[in-house]
Amino acid sequence: MDAALTRFALLAELTAQLADALSLEDVVAAVLAQGLEVLGATGAFVVLPSPAGHELRLVGYRGYPEIVSERWSRIPLDARLPAPVVYAEGRTVVVRAGAERLQRFPDLAAESDNERVLVTLPLRGRGGTLGVIGFSFGGDDAWTTEQDILYTEALADHCASAIERSQLFSEAVAARAAAERAAHRSSLLQRVTSDLAGALTPKQVAGVLVHQGVAAADAQAGWVSLLDRDGRKLELVAEAGFSASLVEQFRSIDVARPSRLVEWMRATEPVWIESADALAELMSEAEHAHRAEGFEAVAMLPLLVRGEGIGFLTIDFVTPRTFDADERALLETLARLCSQALERARLNEELAGRADAAAVLERIGEGVFQLDRAGRILIWNPAAALITGIPAEEALGRLIVTVLDGWERVATGDGERPREALRFDLGARELWLSFSGVQYAAGSVFAFRDLTEERALEEARRDFVATASHELRTPLSAVYGAALTLLRRELPEERRTQLLSLIASESERLSGILDELLLASRLDAGALTLQVSDCDPLLIAHEVAELGRQRAPEGIELPPVSVPVGDASAVRCLADPDRLRQVLINLVDNAIKYSPDGGTVEVSVTVAAPGRLRIAVADRGLGIPPAERERIFAKFYRLDPSLTRGVGGTGLGLYICRSLVEGMGGRIGVDGRGVGMAGGSEFWVELPLAPAVTA
Ligand code: ADP
């Protein structure tokens, strides 16, 4: 076949081959192989600019010894070689053997038998010079004919367009891959977002993150550690893919100890570790225990809440890898989603905690209040309001010293241990309060208990010992004295009778005191049953008044019982008649006892609306201060325990009266008869009226 025809056929074949070649490597390999054959060259090469365009790189060659390919693998743009010149100027350069060759291109190796002529042509693409293609020829007369030039240029053009096409193709492939990755990432992020929405606790958030993150990044393991409440330790909250021993080793990391992990978390920037060697360089032996587990690359992402590192997420790979921009963006987004979810989860927990605390504050029986540093009241719970009688809306915002008069006595204590009860006068009330409190940077919190009753009882009990021993000793010594006198002396009959009746009456007083004590203890134990029946209060009132008249000393008068107007015999009430009698006797006895200067003691019976009977015993005696009118019914309580008014008693009488009356379904109380204590007292008992019996 004609040489020209052969060349043409070969060129046609190349065209067909190039049409199929899509990758750059295939294109270059086909061009070089055909080039040698079509042009009869001894060597051929293709160089293209590096991605950043700083140098030219050899992408394929044929027919040169390896040493040449090494020298040409990277060609600086200022190298004194044909390729950079052709690339820069976009025109063909032909170098023939001879002195001129080295003069023009000193970096070029000396010509050889294989290279007498070197032809370097630009690869012209649509947007400019793509690169450079070169051919070496062995004969000095090579590349002289028009045909040679034509075919070489045709080859270069074919090559350029095939390279351009392959570049477009690979760009399209990359774009598609990027689009697919983006779609995958967005569906993944969507899933993470929806899973995170259901994660309520930090642990659940971490769990979602570790599992999704590992899957998303095509990684083999993942880890989340978070700072504990006091920020002292990084605690492992979720993990996947690590050995039990590694988990154990890093379960809790002391933040105070120097550690790269803690440093990175604080620096709040992600760290991309692409190989085990890099890891070994960055971390201490103990910390890269990862490596022993076969992990190579690690993405370490700090988790931030309000800009501060609160933990970290690691995604671990068993092979080295380059984290490209896409992957970094994905993992950083994951970490950011996680941080937001964590912030929400922490907030949830805090709110739940606060709600609990608020519920406790609402229900707790102790008064609790919080003060700021200036002593202003920030919290005042319902118990505080109940105990002090000061409602929250009055207390909040005020200084505690203006709310609790005498507060300084509490504040000067060390505040830590429960203190003795202190007395506070709030309005007309006297309160004994015991405080305990804690100070903290922003203020203090105090809890207090109302010990008023306990204290009163305690005081009364103490007084009782004194009173009771006095009460018992007085009659006892009288009995003892009388008995001794009777024993020793011959006495006139009259004196003997006197002493014997003294013994009898004092013994009665003694047994009365003992009865009271016994009855009180039976009432306390709930061991007393009352026989409530339909009874006649008028009859009982008359009997009691009569008995009072017999016992009353001179100077005390008991006028007839005043009764309701109308048919008095129809008035009946529900009560235990014996116990009602006992109550009234006690009230009348007290009225007499506490009227040292004499006066009248009036017993009255009235019908108090609705359906209640009222029996009152009024005196003109010592009176009872309004603030004490409730307390005198307490056990052992006496207004004058030191007996300054010389009147004895156990403080049990009224306590027993109240227990009995309440046991019968009634009420008992006392009113003053004038202003303050003047004018005496009026004790009253109210009982249910018996239902009327219809004939
Ligand atoms: P006591 O044995 O001391 O009389 P009570 O329980 O009967 O005990 O009464 C309690 C206290 O109430 C008395 O100590 C007294 O101070 C006061 N009291 C009771 N009745 C009267 C009264 N009619 N007038 C003034 N004070 C009274």
Side-chain angles (χ1 to χ4, degrees):
M1 208 191 315
D2 177 301
L5 259 180
T6 318
R7 278 186 164 184
F8 186 77
L10 285 169
L11 203 59
E13 197 183 311
L14 174 65
T15 314
Q17 274 179 9
L18 287 182
D20 284 344
L22 285 175
S23 78
L24 184 66
E25 291 73 28
D26 291 350
V27 166
V28 171
V31 168
L32 295 177
Q34 292 295 67
L36 289 192
E37 233 178 293
V38 172
L39 301 178
T42 54
F45 67 87
V46 170
V47 294
L48 295 178
S50 64
H54 300 316
E55 59 182 15
L56 297 175
R57 286 180 187 166
L58 185 64
V59 288
Y61 70 95
R62 276 189 90 131
Y64 298 111
E66 212 158 307
I67 176 87
V68 175
S69 74
E70 263 167 35
R71 260 187 34 214
W72 287 57
S73 73
R74 299 168 142 227
I75 306 166
L77 293 180
D78 58 359
R80 289 170 301 175
L81 289 169
V85 173
V86 173
Y87 179 66
E89 296 175 6
R91 60 180 178 86
T92 304
V93 170
V94 182
V95 187
R96 292 183 181 277
E100 197 205 7
R101 175 181 163 112
L102 279 178
Q103 227 167 29
R104 280 178 68 195
F105 300 108
D107 293 342
L108 209 57
E111 70 268 12
S112 65
D113 282 351
N114 271 338
E115 190 184 275
R116 306 298 297 172
V117 182
L118 171 63
V119 182
T120 311
L121 305 96
L123 292 168
R124 288 197 191 91
R126 256 166 291 187
T129 308
L130 294 177
V132 169
I133 188 165
F135 297 99
S136 300
F137 298 93
D140 283 329
D141 59 343
W143 221 72
T144 42
T145 67
E146 192 104 334
Q147 282 245 326
D148 288 337
I149 298 170
L150 208 73
Y151 273 108
T152 316
E153 282 181 347
L155 209 83
D157 285 347
H158 272 75
C159 181
S161 67
I163 287 177
E164 205 163 46
R165 211 175 56 233
S166 89
Q167 280 177 344
L168 284 175
F169 178 73
S170 69
E171 268 167 32
V173 169
R176 200 169 76 203
E180 271 169 11
R181 272 204 307 278
H184 177 68
R185 214 167 42 233
S186 94
S187 82
L188 196 122
L189 288 179
Q190 251 168 35
R191 225 179 96 200
V192 174
T193 312
S194 84
D195 283 6
L196 283 179
L200 296 178
T201 64
K203 202 175 170 69
Q204 286 169 346
V205 171
V208 169
L209 194 74
V210 160
H211 292 102
Q212 308 269 26
V214 167
D218 259 333
Q220 286 72 42
W223 183 291
V224 171
S225 279
L226 295 178
L227 278 181
D228 65 2
R229 289 213 169 269
D230 19 319
R232 298 220 178 110
K233 289 208 151 70
L234 268 167
E235 304 279 0
L236 164 70
V237 280
E239 153 287 319
F242 294 101
S243 74
S245 67
L246 193 83
V247 167
E248 235 5 87
Q249 189 183 342
F250 289 98
R251 181 172 293 288
S252 180
I253 300 168
D254 190 346
V255 172
R257 299 222 331 250
S259 142
R260 271 303 169 102
L261 282 173
V262 175
E263 244 172 65
W264 288 335
M265 179 190 78
R266 295 234 166 96
T268 68
E269 286 292 330
V271 178
W272 311 100
I273 301 164
E274 303 191 321
S275 69
D277 290 340
L279 190 66
E281 233 170 75
L282 285 172
M283 298 179 95
S284 73
E285 196 64 37
E287 284 178 322
H288 68 81
H290 279 76
R291 195 176 194 180
E293 307 251 323
F295 291 106
E296 290 269 346
V298 181
M300 142 83 205
L301 302 133
L303 300 172
L304 311 178
V305 165
R306 286 170 223 126
E308 281 200 12
I310 56 137
F312 63 83
L313 155 72
T314 74
I315 299 286
D316 302 64
F317 303 82
V318 291
T319 47
R321 73 191 284 119
T322 330
F323 292 99
D324 64 23
D326 270 356
E327 200 165 13
R328 291 181 185 208
L330 170 73
L331 292 174
E332 284 180 42
T333 307
L334 268 176
R336 224 177 4 257
L337 283 174
C338 173
S339 297
Q340 285 165 3
L342 279 175
E343 187 163 4
R344 210 192 49 224
R346 291 232 154 145
L347 211 65
N348 272 346
E349 283 192 337
E350 228 169 78
L351 285 180
R354 278 200 210 155
D356 281 353
V360 168
L361 270 189
E362 281 296 310
R363 282 179 215 132
I364 197 170
E366 295 205 348
V368 176
F369 56 89
Q370 185 191 358
L371 304 179
D372 67 9
R373 265 198 286 190
R376 230 180 306 277
I377 300 171
L378 303 175
I379 290 177
W380 187 256
N381 81 337
L386 194 74
I387 295 172
T388 59
I390 301 167
E393 54 275 19
E394 242 176 63
L396 293 177
R398 277 174 63 194
L399 291 174
I400 185 72
V401 284
T402 66
V403 173
L404 287 182
D405 195 11
W407 169 254
E408 315 75 56
R409 291 170 298 158
V410 179
T412 51
D414 63 16
E416 294 286 344
R417 75 195 136 82
R419 295 166 48 105
E420 280 275 293
L422 297 171
R423 184 184 156 147
F424 289 86
D425 293 306
L426 288 166
R429 294 201 302 152
E430 170 195 311
L431 283 179
W432 288 84
L433 305 176
S434 142
F435 289 85
S436 56
V438 278
Q439 309 274 348
Y440 60 100
S444 48
V445 173
F446 285 88
F448 65 96
R449 282 189 302 146
D450 179 5
L451 294 181
T452 312
E453 272 189 25
E454 284 88 338
R455 181 159 177 109
L457 197 64
E458 187 46 45
E459 240 173 37
R461 212 172 267 140
R462 233 179 287 146
D463 295 341
F464 170 72
V465 177
T467 323
S469 48
H470 172 87
E471 282 300 293
L472 292 172
R473 206 177 308 117
T474 316
L476 259 181
S477 46
V479 169
Y480 184 58
L484 280 186
T485 317
L486 283 170
L487 270 178
R488 288 194 196 142
R489 300 200 193 140
E490 280 303 317
L491 290 169
E493 190 58 28
E494 191 192 345
R495 180 78 179 123
R496 275 173 57 93
T497 319
Q498 220 177 19
L499 288 174
L500 284 173
S501 66
L502 179 82
I503 290 177
S505 71
E506 290 303 299
S507 304
E508 198 188 316
R509 192 169 145 197
L510 268 177
S511 84
I513 293 171
L514 291 176
D515 282 350
E516 272 193 340
L517 278 171
L518 277 176
L519 185 58
S521 83
R522 281 174 73 198
L523 283 168
D524 280 350
L528 190 81
T529 38
L530 298 171
Q531 311 291 331
V532 175
S533 63
D534 182 331
C535 58
D536 182 351
L538 287 176
L539 184 67
I540 298 172
H542 285 303
E543 283 172 16
V544 172
E546 182 49 37
L547 197 72
R549 246 167 245 128
Q550 289 167 20
R551 298 195 198 181
E554 228 171 288
I556 293 198
E557 299 237 345
L558 275 105
V561 176
S562 100
V563 299
V565 277
D567 182 5
S569 66
V571 178
R572 301 189 67 84
C573 70
L574 291 176
D576 180 325
D578 291 338
R579 295 306 179 185
L580 178 56
R581 192 175 294 110
Q582 184 180 355
V583 168
L584 296 180
I585 290 174
N586 205 319
L587 294 182
V588 169
D589 277 355
N590 275 353
I592 296 171
K593 200 160 79 170
Y594 297 105
S595 300
D597 303 328
T600 50
V601 172
E602 297 157 79
V603 179
S604 62
V605 179
T606 48
V607 174
R612 297 190 77 82
L613 181 87
R614 180 178 167 114
I615 308 173
V617 177
D619 64 53
R620 303 236 154 241
L622 294 170
I624 300 159
E628 304 284 347
R629 285 182 190 154
E630 184 53 36
R631 269 199 220 156
I632 52 170
F633 293 95
K635 207 177 183 180
F636 304 133
Y637 194 83
R638 305 198 71 239
L639 274 189
D640 182 24
S642 46
L643 301 179
T644 47
R645 293 175 297 190
V647 188
T650 56
L652 281 172
L654 288 179
Y655 172 74
I656 291 170
C657 288
R658 166 165 283 186
S659 303
L660 291 175
V661 170
E662 285 178 355
M664 293 186 271
R667 297 197 306 142
I668 188 170
V670 62
D671 296 324
R673 298 191 73 194
V675 180
M677 288 166 69
S681 331
E682 178 175 283
F683 282 84
W684 50 263
V685 171
E686 272 184 17
L687 290 165
L689 280 174
V693 188
T694 40

